[in-house]
Amino acid sequence: MTTAGLNIGITGYANAGGSGVVAGELGRQLARRGHTIHFIADAPPFRFAHFAEHVQYHEVAVPDCPPLKHPPYTLALAARMAEVSRQFALDILHVHYALPHAAAGILAQSILDRPQRPKLVTTLHGTDVTRIGSAASLYEVTSFCLRASNAVTAVSHSLQRAALDRFPDGARIEVIPNFVDLETFAPARSPGARARDAGDDVLLAHVSSFRSVKRPADAVRVLAAVNATRPARLILIGDGPEMPAVVREVEQLGLRDRVQMLGQRLDVQEILSGCDVFLLPSAEESFGLAALEAMACGVPAVTSDVGGLAELIENGNGGYRVASGDIAAMAGRVLDIVADCDTLELQRTEARRRAARFDAQLIVPMYEDLYMRTLT
């Protein structure tokens, strides 16, 4: 058996979060490499706006069951996984996020006769282990899902250590880091490709799901600190529960004309490539995919020094890490990066060089190798 021509089912959340983006991009990359991809979820992958060869989507329809207190998504997903596995002879079910996706995959395997069962690969992305899986009411089922998976991966060594610490009796966990398509996420072709009316202002960017763990209001506070020294603007991409708090911070700091809120966007790379510095002030990060995509666009990143970001950001070489919540330090590092044109260009070059370590062409074959080892 060779890696060419595998039938792979992929399940992840169809949202703009890191796990959803990685699930979709992995499917895209695997399809380009000759595999047939079956996305099994309640919605198509985020960023999939165009037709792709060797890719199919199978919707999970959750029935309305009034006697049940909660919609039976996990059960409906398991049934759909089993159906697609049987119909298309799937070799692999690759689920992103332990709960509920790994639980559904294990149930789907149990539904199928043994010769029909695909192998189950579970990829951990962060809060599925550090928060959801660690909750007392879900700990045992998460631990079981890790043990019952045929293979388990984590997107950083930091997350691997956290998972092994929380689930010492769990399965062996391999590290396969997140990746970026360096052809899609690339520096701007024109040096003048900047946001309208940015002029000579320092142009900052933040992309996230705007959850509390991302601390998006800190990006506004950093803007205020930078703007006190040099005129600066901030572009916000994404949406989520913390957006009202962000809007309040913008108003309280008098920065309405300095902040542009773009919501969810598919053209992230085009926007990022015209920016000067990317901000990621998170309280937790299993890897920092948004920072990686910015760096691939030649945009240096200033981030919190948490989780897997140390595996991505090397201080002084395309970015800096500072203590979470230290607004002054983060603003200071932004000003260091944009101190002069030569420094900024050097940091842009270094950011792209660091990002190249996570090129999809290097990382995706690691998944292929894992699939083959799991199948044999």
Side-chain angles (χ1 to χ4, degrees):
M1 183 182 295
T2 66
T3 56
L6 293 180
N7 292 316
I8 304 168
I10 294 180
T11 294
Y13 286 119
N15 57 31
S19 66
V21 170
V22 169
E25 290 300 309
L26 177 60
R28 190 199 308 274
Q29 293 291 332
L30 289 168
R32 289 176 179 174
R33 298 173 70 87
H35 307 288
T36 300
I37 304 303
H38 298 266
F39 286 110
I40 309 170
D42 59 350
F46 184 69
R47 294 184 182 172
F48 257 72
H50 304 288
F51 171 78
E53 293 282 357
H54 309 299
V55 174
Q56 298 191 48
Y57 166 64
H58 308 275
E59 183 178 8
V60 176
V62 182
D64 182 18
C65 301
L68 300 182
K69 188 175 181 180
H70 302 288
Y73 173 69
T74 304
L75 302 180
L77 174 59
R80 194 70 165 123
M81 285 175 163
E83 178 185 1
V84 174
S85 296
R86 185 183 293 116
Q87 183 178 359
F88 294 97
L90 297 189
D91 300 297
I92 296 288
L93 273 176
H94 189 167
V95 300
H96 296 258
Y97 236 65
L99 295 183
H101 299 148
I106 293 165
L107 180 55
Q109 286 181 316
S110 300
I111 292 171
L112 296 165
D113 294 331
R114 187 169 296 277
Q116 298 175 318
R117 293 177 187 173
K119 298 294 186 180
L120 178 65
V121 175
T122 297
T123 290
L124 307 176
H125 285 270
T127 51
D128 53 340
V129 169
T130 60
R131 296 197 174 194
I132 298 172
S134 296
S137 60
L138 297 174
Y139 179 87
E140 289 295 340
V141 70
T142 304
S143 180
F144 169 76
C145 286
L146 298 186
R147 295 195 308 271
S149 297
N150 298 109
V152 180
T153 72
V155 297
S156 68
H157 291 280
S158 172
L159 181 58
Q160 179 197 46
R161 290 191 295 270
L164 292 174
D165 180 59
R166 286 169 170 80
F167 302 97
D169 298 327
R172 177 172 179 264
I173 301 174
E174 297 189 33
V175 175
I176 299 182
N178 285 338
F179 57 87
V180 64
D181 183 341
L182 291 178
E183 294 183 4
T184 299
F185 287 85
R189 294 184 176 89
S190 168
R194 287 172 60 81
R196 183 180 299 177
D197 300 327
D200 294 328
D201 292 358
V202 176
L203 194 55
L204 309 175
H206 172 73
V207 180
S208 79
S209 56
F210 285 78
R211 293 179 292 129
S212 59
V213 71
K214 300 296 183 180
R215 299 179 64 98
D218 277 5
V220 179
R221 299 180 185 111
V222 172
L223 166 66
V226 173
N227 193 59
T229 300
R230 286 186 56 177
R233 296 174 182 267
L234 173 64
I235 293 178
L236 298 174
I237 302 174
D239 205 347
E242 287 297 301
M243 186 55 80
V246 170
V247 173
R248 287 195 300 271
E249 196 70 20
V250 170
E251 293 297 324
Q252 290 173 2
L253 293 174
L255 295 170
R256 184 185 302 176
D257 63 340
R258 299 270 110 190
V259 179
Q260 189 173 5
M261 304 176 191
L262 302 183
Q264 303 288 11
R265 298 291 294 250
L266 295 178
D267 57 345
V268 175
Q269 65 278 9
E270 296 177 18
I271 300 168
L272 287 177
S273 63
C275 295
D276 297 313
V277 181
F278 182 82
L279 302 177
L280 192 64
S282 307
E284 297 177 11
E285 280 291 344
S286 60
F287 179 85
L289 179 63
L292 171 60
E293 292 181 341
M295 293 167 68
C297 292
V299 181
V302 178
T303 76
S304 298
D305 190 9
V306 296
L309 284 167
E311 299 167 40
L312 173 62
I313 307 292
E314 182 182 9
N315 282 329
N317 294 309
Y320 291 94
R321 307 185 316 274
V322 303
S324 178
D326 192 337
I327 304 302
M330 188 165 278
R333 288 308 190 183
V334 169
L335 292 170
D336 288 342
I337 290 172
V338 300
D340 55 66
C341 291
D342 289 342
T343 300
L344 178 57
E345 286 307 308
L346 176 61
Q347 292 296 327
R348 287 186 181 279
T349 300
E350 285 298 302
R352 175 73 174 179
R353 182 186 65 81
R354 290 288 297 177
R357 298 168 61 243
F358 302 94
D359 183 358
Q361 300 304 313
L362 300 176
I363 306 302
V364 174
M366 297 171 66
Y367 278 114
E368 291 179 306
D369 176 69
L370 175 68
Y371 297 155
M372 294 309 303
R373 286 187 282 114
T374 302
L375 287 169
T376 54

